[in-house]
Amino acid sequence: MIGKHIKGKSFRGLLNYLFGKDGARQIGGNMEGTNPRELAAEFGISRRLNPKVSRAVYHASLSLAHKESLDDNTWHEIAQKYLQAMGFDMNQYVVVRHTDRTHEHIHIAASRIQLDGTTVSDSWDDRRSEAVIRKLEQEYNLQSVQPSWEKDKHSPTTGERRHIARTGEESVRVKLQRSLDQATHDCPTMPELIERAQQQGVNVRVGYTRTGIVKGISYQLDGVAFSGTHLGKAYTFPGLQKHRGVNYSPKRDDKRIQKLMEQALENPTPAVTQTNSLPIPEPTNWEQIRLNLSQQYNLPNSLLTELYEKGWLYASQTGQAIFVERTLDDLPTLAKQLEPAGNFTAIPLNSERTKNGSFWIATDATVERAVLLSDPIEVLSVIALESTVDKEKRKPTLYWSVGDSEQIPLEFLRAIDAVVIAFKDNDKVEDLIAEILAELPQAKQVSPGKAGWNGMLTNNHLQPNQRRIPELQGWEL
């Protein structure tokens, strides 16, 4: 069973929606009214008991898995038990059943103001709701579904799944998610979470503004750093509180948090296999980085956002764009830092650079075509240019940034029929192109000239008679 709930301000608006659906019918509740006007008037009674509560409306929906079915009486019984477990034991409510979708579901409209004038607490209500639903599933023998907070983490990428299948080892991101899940199982305070994470070898950094307000959180394990956003909504600073039940009070916790971070700097946990680490993400710098990349290089916001959410592109503490290079198994190898002049500086992750790692993007899990490009900006520019091609005509493509021959996954590319060498300013990389053509006889060479593909993309944007490159749609990265 799947449950969702939100809080609102208008009883009449919600009731109009619930009763306005074709086939909607009232199947339960503790109120006399039978239509939106009558019920809204009744809900006004509880609202007047505590007019200070602005968001007095509670709207929950409960849905069964496909092919499951319950009668009206059972649905009403489940609604009653759900509300009572959520603390609505002296509240007005009405239950409406909808038939507009293939799966059975009900809606509950309730007042958060109890008949004694107090308000139902919404503390950790996401987590409490999921716990209640799990119990109801067991009691009524219903199909169990993934809790919502499990969905608020980024799923393993294609490369991470390949790595797990090949080696049996989890990626660093999956290890971090699992460690944080274990550390938050009993709703700890924020300092308790940080201390538990440190004991597991995870370095946690909480960023503060000059006025002492928390601006973000990041994690580092085995020399690889992720911001909370890169792991998923549930691992951001507010997400830990909302989805993981972590308790945070600035007056109580901030000094302890800062002391724990100082101790970590004094006694760093040695990395298992890495001697250097990627630049630590700074979430508060991301919007400016995104804006710069969009304005200076004409790159689509939707593409930049997706790369950021996957952790392949982020903002550093010094306010620079960091492109993460990685193997085809999605193991980070080094970072490429974009400098103001448009050139890139390599930041190694290991003392000995891992071969076959680069900045790359695949538009599908199964690749039929590979395009070899000069740098990350060129990769994103070609993707933006090719996004204008009809989706049905596109081939699943791997876009690979190449700096030298050791970075090229030759075995992988030999199995692909279409390989395109698309470096800018080919004169500077003649030897590299010759090496690639010798190893990959099916490869073909094209050139965008010295300006590169980004020059072509930017020129397309500046020409008044040319339509702007659209936001990307339908690309699986």
Side-chain angles (χ1 to χ4, degrees), residues 31-274:
M31 304 175 73
E32 294 292 331
T34 58
N35 59 56
R37 181 181 58 80
E38 295 172 350
L39 290 166
E42 279 189 72
F43 275 122
I45 297 172
S46 61
R47 188 189 285 276
R48 288 191 290 273
L49 294 174
N50 194 341
K52 293 181 180 180
V53 179
S54 61
R55 302 175 71 84
V57 179
Y58 182 79
H59 174 203
S61 64
L62 302 176
S63 305
L64 297 181
H66 289 286
K67 299 182 180 180
E68 286 189 326
S69 181
L70 296 172
D71 58 45
D72 288 351
N73 289 335
T74 305
W75 263 126
H76 185 213
E77 189 176 280
I78 286 175
Q80 287 178 308
K81 291 182 178 181
Y82 175 82
L83 284 172
Q84 187 171 10
M86 291 296 291
F88 292 78
D89 49 7
M90 288 194 299
N91 301 71
Q92 296 171 305
Y93 77 95
V94 62
V95 184
V96 178
R97 183 167 183 169
H98 280 178
T99 58
D100 59 323
R101 296 184 181 178
T102 55
H103 58 276
E104 289 192 10
H105 64 286
I106 62 168
H107 292 264
I108 305 169
S111 174
R112 294 183 60 229
I113 302 172
Q114 301 190 96
L115 296 179
D116 63 358
T118 60
T119 306
V120 176
S121 172
D122 60 357
S123 176
W124 304 341
D125 54 358
D126 287 338
R127 201 173 182 105
R128 288 190 293 118
S129 174
E130 293 293 350
V132 173
I133 288 172
R134 300 288 83 79
K135 291 181 180 179
L136 290 171
E137 287 170 346
Q138 293 177 359
E139 183 177 349
Y140 290 89
N141 195 28
L142 299 172
Q143 182 176 329
S144 184
V145 295
Q146 184 184 25
S148 63
W149 64 77
E150 289 296 328
K151 296 179 182 178
D152 287 323
K153 64 171 66 173
H154 291 307
S155 301
T157 63
T158 300
E160 286 174 326
R161 288 193 291 269
R162 287 180 186 147
H163 173 69
I164 293 171
R166 183 173 62 81
T167 67
E169 296 180 358
E170 295 176 317
S171 67
V172 174
R173 179 165 60 171
V174 173
K175 287 179 182 177
L176 275 170
Q177 290 170 334
R178 181 168 50 78
S179 294
L180 294 170
D181 290 347
Q182 293 172 350
T184 56
H185 74 282
D186 59 349
C187 302
T189 64
M190 194 64 72
E192 287 173 340
L193 164 61
I194 293 172
E195 191 167 17
R196 291 174 184 179
Q198 289 175 342
Q199 291 169 356
Q200 297 298 318
V202 178
N203 183 19
V204 182
R205 304 299 299 171
V206 177
Y208 290 87
T209 65
R210 292 180 179 178
T211 57
I213 305 299
V214 172
K215 61 180 181 179
I217 189 168
S218 63
Y219 313 91
Q220 192 174 46
L221 176 65
D222 293 346
V224 183
F226 290 90
S227 70
T229 304
H230 293 155
L231 297 183
K233 289 190 297 183
Y235 305 96
T236 63
F237 199 85
L240 288 169
Q241 299 167 69
K242 180 178 180 180
H243 300 289
R244 290 284 187 255
V246 176
N247 189 284
Y248 169 67
S249 170
K251 290 183 179 180
R252 181 195 66 199
D253 296 336
D254 282 346
K255 287 185 179 180
R256 177 61 179 157
I257 290 172
Q258 291 167 3
K259 186 175 181 180
L260 286 168
M261 290 194 295
E262 290 170 3
Q263 290 173 350
L265 290 175
E266 293 171 1
N267 303 292
T269 302
V272 177
T273 57
Q274 284 85 1

